[in-house]
Amino acid sequence: MMPSHSQDQILNIVPITFDREEIEIGRLPNMEKGEYAKLRHDHWRTHVFRFDPRTQEILNVALVPNIDPLGTKDTVIIDNHLLLLARAVQHQIMVWIAHRRPILSGGKKLIFWGQKENAYLLHQAVLKVGEEPDRRLDVVLRYEIDCRMLQYDENKYYIGLVLDVATSNIIDIPVSELQEDGLDIRRRYVCSRQQPDIDYLHPRLELLGRVGGIDGNTLFLTDSEGDIRIQAQKAFLEPRLENLNDVVQLYYGNKARRILLELENIRKPVGTALGKLAHLQETLKGIKRHNFTINNEVKISFGDLLNPSDGKYPSQITTKRPPLLFGAQGRNIQANPDSGIKMYGPYMFTQHTRNSPLIAVVCESSYKGRVDQFLQMLRVGFPDAYWQDKKKENPFRGGLLGKYRLSSLRFEFEECQTPTPQEYRNAARRLLNRLPDLPDLAIVQIREDFIHQFGDMNPYFVSKSEFMGAGVPVQAFRIEKIDPPERNLPYLLNNICLASYAKLDGTPWVMSMRDPDSHELVIGIGSSAVGFGRRGHRTQYVGMTSVFQGDGRYLVWGQTREVEFRNYPQALLESLQRTVSYVEQQQAWVKGDKIRIICHVYKRLRDCEVEAIKKLVDSLTDNKYQAEYAFLDISWHHPYQIFAPNEQGANYWTKRKSSKKGKGVPQRGLCLQLERRRGLLQLTGPTDLKTADQGLPKPLLVELHPDSDFDDMTYLLRQIFHFTYLSWRSFFPGSEPVTIGYSRLIARLLGNLKEVAGWDSTVLAVGALRDRRWFL
């Protein structure tokens, strides 16, 4: 059972109430987009508007006294128009701060900078060391307010103000001035300042590209959309942390180090759970001190940050870490996967078919000795004689032979003279040509800087395409990671060994689940953008993988190909059809069986995508099965945060002393049903953080599509939690379900391979890699 969760929880939602039940509104007929935009622009100080799809009208409410609503007047019940009132509340707050603080965004989400002296953090740090601050260079508190309608019971709704606080870097100094003062701006990204159409908005920065050349006052940009040139006096540095640090060093010289240390100490609490919570509570106090009304008639009242004592607080769903199965017969149960494999061996290892694998190795000749040592440790484990931490057991004993129960293991080397794509391609080809049998796995040594190279320019992807085209999965390791400090090496070996065993068709572990009455298919859809640089052309690829239930246990089965974003609905349908056909044969479905299809998606499904999947389900129903489905949007992009003020955190060692991490961070597994079809799942707790500097991790937001006819959110949220224990890339539980994580890996890898000359993904659909976990 997961650790019990304290009732002392807080959500960053402020409930809003009104002092009356009715309000006067105006009704306008629907109009063209341009007309609507002009209407809102002309009346932003006095009215707020919202299109109501129920009546196809534009509703509005007056914000200030002695001003009437526009159009036909009507008195309505507030509870029936909470979305309009939510917009009015947020707009009133915006108008209040419009002439006090710089507003960055006034749309769906209100974003603004703090105005008080304590909101300017670099300013404070500079004063502490006795220097004169420059307001054009600073780190400022950034606030976000999102007023939205929320559900707290089956048919009850309320308006909640969702608050957040973070920091923004400011480098409001023209590049020309920085150049004159001695800053080298080559290879740095620059922006232009864009003046807003609305007078209350602060000018925004638009990223243009990286400085590739300089001719007098003209900057020539690369990694940009087209051939862009800009005058240095009109360009501004992208306000990234490294640029901020360099400008501080430029202007404050030998005091810069002290200033940056002071800044870190001032800035750090803003990101921590308790520090962020304190800032939000202070912000709420400021909002409460102001008397907000709508048209001087309806008074707006703000409650406290939502906590379990409030009837609107979401209900909590208990979660439980799933039992995992190991051992020769697959019957040994352990909660910890690493301990389970050590004690019992991998799941049903006696049925593993690649028990004496041949592994092809490609490495640079200058690293041959170190690579040989590394692979020997992969074979037999990290030597106890080199393990120096006497407080902990050596984390990697036995290697592939002992820990994973392989009978034998043979490496076949091929060397590269230089780290070029052609050398890696030739080495892979030489290996494949001279070996009498196809290798079971290829291990490729790469470098850190390969990550910045794309497609045909990346030696890793070039060699990977050669091996995978022949039906051989590939495992890579970075040469920089195998050198000292040796205390990290056993952990690296442990993860590489795990992924390698899975790529050798082994099953490290599975989950033991209560057998449901339905055959259940869980489809994961993930996405990755592949391309050069940050501003160059990037193609969005979508990856798909399937996780299905057989005999009460979830197993992974891959049936994937690369597909561009615009083509993925059809590819999704094809993947589902293949998956259903495959599992139908494997599990011998019979007429009348119950089928359940659950989709885990990285984005909201469009109507056409939902309809395509529903057609498949209908075809199953028409044939002979009872079918149902659920579509789940799984996202990190949302405004919600959960705090646990009394959580003391976890101990960890830093600089030879004990410290605490994760104070105020909820325990992993905390699950709240935010609304009937929405839930929050905390997947990073105090013990999952590496240091105290990581701040407050966001929960995962799970939303069920309204067209789903299977809507047991407790079951679905628990299932997602269980899927975070299924990844065979690491022994630690993941921060997202394996359905999304694997799909994203597939999309990224296949998107990059698609840019390699000669690559053909057919091998994944019908060839030797069809059922193998090549993407781990």
Side-chain angles (χ1 to χ4, degrees):
M1 180 71 66
M2 300 304 299
S4 60
H5 304 304
S6 168
Q7 287 300 304
D8 187 24
Q9 299 163 6
I10 293 178
L11 275 169
N12 61 332
I13 300 173
V14 180
I16 295 172
T17 55
F18 304 97
D19 68 341
R20 59 184 63 189
E21 296 181 353
E22 296 181 335
I23 190 171
E24 186 178 54
I25 67 169
R27 299 180 182 271
L28 294 168
N30 196 12
M31 58 187 68
E32 296 291 334
K33 185 177 180 181
E35 292 181 273
Y36 187 30
K38 185 177 186 303
L39 178 73
R40 294 168 62 185
H41 180 271
D42 292 344
H43 298 276
W44 75 268
R45 294 179 186 275
T46 57
H47 294 78
V48 69
F49 303 87
R50 179 182 178 272
F51 174 72
D52 192 334
R54 296 173 297 185
T55 61
Q56 298 293 305
E57 294 174 311
I58 295 175
L59 307 183
N60 68 95
V61 62
L63 300 175
V64 297
N66 304 319
I67 297 288
D68 291 332
L70 302 178
T72 304
K73 297 179 186 178
D74 189 11
T75 299
V76 299
I77 298 173
I78 286 177
D79 282 351
N80 293 337
H81 294 273
L82 289 180
L83 290 173
L84 177 63
L85 269 292
R87 190 166 290 183
V89 171
Q90 182 159 313
H91 201 82
Q92 282 290 61
I93 296 174
M94 185 194 70
V95 172
W96 173 53
I97 66 175
H99 301 295
R100 295 174 174 83
R101 307 177 185 184
I103 297 179
L104 307 180
S105 173
K108 185 175 181 181
K109 184 185 294 184
L110 177 61
I111 305 175
F112 57 94
W113 285 338
Q115 188 63 26
K116 295 181 180 179
E117 285 299 312
N118 63 1
Y120 292 87
L121 311 186
L122 180 57
H123 182 94
Q124 299 174 52
V126 172
L127 288 176
K128 281 193 174 184
V129 300
E131 289 290 307
E132 186 65 28
D134 185 338
R135 273 293 170 86
R136 300 177 303 168
L137 181 66
D138 219 320
V139 176
V140 63
L141 292 180
R142 183 185 74 244
Y143 297 91
E144 296 184 4
I145 291 178
D146 187 355
C147 194
R148 50 178 60 195
M149 183 176 74
L150 298 164
Q151 183 181 19
Y152 69 97
D153 207 342
E154 184 66 27
N155 292 304
K156 295 181 180 179
Y157 298 86
Y158 71 101
I159 295 177
L161 201 66
V162 187
L163 303 178
D164 198 10
V165 62
T167 60
S168 287
N169 300 326
I170 299 174
I171 309 177
D172 198 17
I173 305 171
V175 164
S176 56
E177 186 175 332
L178 295 173
Q179 285 179 288
E180 291 174 3
D181 292 332
L183 184 70
D184 184 0
I185 55 98
R186 290 173 297 180
R187 297 179 297 279
R188 299 181 192 266
Y189 283 83
V190 296
C191 309
S192 64
R193 179 185 286 164
Q194 301 295 316
Q195 294 297 329
D197 296 330
I198 305 174
D199 56 7
Y200 60 80
L201 291 180
H202 190 268
R204 64 181 179 86
L205 292 178
E206 180 182 354
L207 184 65
L208 297 179
R210 182 173 54 201
V211 178
I214 304 172
D215 183 7
N217 291 324
T218 303
L219 308 179
F220 298 87
L221 305 185
T222 61
D223 191 14
S224 58
E225 295 180 356
D227 182 17
I228 296 182
R229 306 176 185 187
I230 186 172
Q231 296 299 303
Q233 61 267 27
K234 295 182 179 180
F236 297 85
L237 275 186
E238 183 187 15
R240 293 170 66 94
L241 182 60
E242 59 267 29
N243 287 335
L244 179 83
N245 291 345
D246 288 346
V247 177
V248 169
Q249 182 68 49
L250 176 71
Y251 285 141
Y252 295 105
N254 58 10
K255 290 190 177 181
R257 185 173 179 274
R258 286 179 56 199
I259 290 172
L260 292 174
L261 286 174
E262 289 287 352
L263 174 62
E264 183 182 359
N265 291 333
I266 298 171
R267 188 177 197 166
K268 189 184 300 182
V270 181
T272 65
L274 297 181
K276 185 185 287 281
L277 179 59
H279 276 288
L280 296 184
Q281 289 171 331
E282 187 64 28
T283 302
L284 181 56
K285 285 181 182 178
I287 293 174
K288 284 185 172 184
R289 282 195 291 266
H290 186 76
N291 183 27
F292 287 102
T293 61
I294 300 175
N295 199 20
N296 208 32
E297 294 179 355
V298 180
K299 183 178 179 182
I300 304 168
S301 297
F302 299 92
D304 296 324
L305 290 170
L306 206 57
N307 62 77
S309 66
D310 193 309
K312 298 181 176 67
Y313 196 81
S315 59
Q316 184 168 318
I317 297 172
T318 58
T319 58
K320 183 178 180 181
R321 184 169 183 152
L324 306 176
L325 297 178
F326 305 88
Q329 305 301 319
R331 298 174 182 173
N332 300 106
I333 297 177
Q334 246 291 338
N336 182 286
D338 198 15
S339 299
I341 292 178
K342 287 177 183 176
M343 294 169 63
Y344 308 113
Y347 176 76
M348 299 186 71
F349 63 83
T350 54
Q351 298 184 19
H352 184 215
T353 56
R354 299 179 188 270
N355 212 32
S356 300
L358 169 63
I359 298 180
V361 180
V362 172
C363 70
E364 296 174 60
S365 56
S366 58
Y367 299 136
K368 173 71 179 299
R370 279 178 283 171
V371 171
D372 200 3
Q373 288 178 323
F374 179 77
L375 294 178
Q376 179 62 15
M377 288 185 286
L378 195 67
R379 182 203 304 264
V380 298
F382 188 78
D384 284 338
Y386 288 92
W387 180 247
Q388 299 176 354
D389 190 344
K390 304 304 179 184
K391 296 181 180 179
K392 295 181 180 178
E393 180 186 356
N394 178 358
F396 187 61
R397 286 181 174 148
L400 280 166
L401 293 181
K403 185 173 182 178
Y404 288 87
R405 281 43 171 196
L406 296 186
S407 298
S408 62
L409 178 63
R410 181 162 67 93
F411 294 112
E412 193 69 36
F413 279 80
E414 191 64 45
E415 300 173 34
C416 302
Q417 297 304 312
T418 56
T420 63
Q422 193 58 46
E423 277 285 308
Y424 271 69
R425 185 191 300 273
N426 291 340
R429 286 177 175 176
R430 289 195 299 269
L431 262 173
L432 292 170
N433 287 335
R434 68 178 169 83
L435 290 174
D437 299 312
L438 199 64
D440 298 283
L441 176 69
I443 294 182
V444 178
Q445 168 258 308
I446 63 174
R447 296 188 181 195
E448 292 275 4
D449 59 5
F450 288 4
I451 196 173
H452 302 295
Q453 298 166 9
F454 179 63
D456 263 333
M457 304 301 293
N458 189 312
Y460 168 58
F461 289 122
V462 167
S463 59
K464 191 179 185 77
S465 70
E466 291 292 328
F467 282 119
M468 287 182 57
V472 180
V474 181
Q475 174 66 48
F477 70 92
R478 299 178 188 177
I479 191 65
E480 294 87 352
K481 297 290 187 182
I482 71 173
D483 281 333
E486 290 183 329
R487 66 177 179 273
N488 297 327
L489 187 54
Y491 298 101
L492 173 67
L493 283 161
N494 211 20
N495 286 338
I496 288 180
C497 198
L498 171 65
S500 297
Y501 182 74
K503 288 176 181 177
L504 288 167
D505 295 345
T507 302
W509 66 82
V510 298
M511 289 194 293
S512 176
M513 304 293 292
R514 287 175 290 180
D515 193 3
D517 191 32
S518 301
H519 298 290
E520 192 168 70
L521 303 179
V522 184
I523 311 298
I525 305 172
S527 171
S528 181
V530 177
F532 287 105
R534 294 170 54 199
R535 297 287 295 168
H537 174 72
R538 303 181 75 82
T539 302
Q540 192 84 1
Y541 289 97
V542 177
M544 286 165 281
T545 187
S546 310
V547 183
F548 67 87
Q549 180 173 331
D551 300 330
R553 300 161 187 151
Y554 286 107
L555 303 173
V556 174
W557 175 73
Q559 173 70 14
T560 57
R561 63 183 178 88
E562 85 280 4
V563 55
E564 291 187 23
F565 178 79
R566 65 178 183 271
N567 299 324
Y568 104 85
Q570 181 60 32
L572 170 62
L573 184 56
E574 293 172 1
S575 178
L576 276 168
Q577 290 169 335
R578 290 193 301 268
T579 301
V580 169
S581 177
Y582 179 90
V583 181
E584 183 179 21
Q585 297 174 25
Q586 292 292 313
Q587 297 188 352
W589 293 356
V590 297
K591 186 175 181 179
D593 278 359
K594 296 178 181 178
I595 314 299
R596 180 181 302 140
I597 294 178
I598 298 172
C599 289
H600 291 175
V601 189
Y602 72 99
K603 70 170 193 69
R604 291 180 184 272
L605 285 169
R606 294 176 298 181
D607 291 342
C608 62
E609 298 157 8
V610 173
E611 288 302 317
I613 300 171
K614 287 165 68 175
K615 286 180 181 177
L616 172 65
V617 176
D618 290 341
S619 71
L620 292 174
T621 304
D622 293 341
N623 288 340
K624 50 188 172 183
Y625 306 120
Q626 303 176 53
E628 58 187 358
Y629 47 85
F631 310 118
L632 294 167
D633 171 35
I634 297 176
S635 174
W636 299 107
H637 303 294
H638 60 84
Y640 304 110
Q641 298 272 16
I642 309 175
F643 303 89
N646 289 339
E647 174 58 54
Q648 297 303 304
N651 293 321
Y652 78 107
W653 285 86
T654 175
K655 296 180 181 179
R656 297 184 179 180
K657 67 177 182 179
S658 178
S659 187
K660 288 282 189 182
K661 59 181 180 178
K663 290 183 179 179
V665 173
Q667 289 288 333
R668 173 182 169 84
L670 173 62
C671 186
L672 300 177
Q673 187 159 349
L674 188 63
E675 296 176 292
R676 181 172 175 268
R677 293 179 178 268
R678 305 169 85 204
L680 294 174
L681 185 56
Q682 188 78 28
L683 293 175
T684 304
T687 58
D688 304 304
L689 297 173
K690 292 183 178 179
T691 71
D693 298 335
Q694 284 185 256
L696 177 65
K698 264 192 172 184
L700 198 66
L701 178 66
V702 180
E703 297 187 76
L704 181 67
H705 193 281
D707 284 357
S708 304
D709 60 5
F710 179 77
D711 59 359
D712 187 339
M713 281 298 288
T714 297
Y715 177 91
L716 293 168
L717 286 163
R718 284 174 177 165
Q719 184 182 69
I720 290 173
F721 179 64
H722 291 161
F723 273 38
T724 64
Y725 291 88
L726 247 185
S727 175
W728 295 333
R729 284 171 55 85
S730 170
F731 289 102
F732 293 105
S735 58
E736 62 183 356
V738 67
T739 43
I740 297 296
Y742 278 7
S743 300
R744 188 178 294 114
L745 286 173
I746 290 167
R748 185 170 70 243
L749 286 170
L750 290 182
N752 278 288
L753 285 170
K754 189 177 177 66
E755 303 302 320
V756 177
W759 166 251
D760 183 358
S761 63
T762 305
V763 67
L764 304 176
V766 297
L769 292 177
R770 173 175 177 172
D771 296 326
R772 303 190 65 180
R773 297 109 186 188
W774 54 268
F775 49 85
L776 291 170

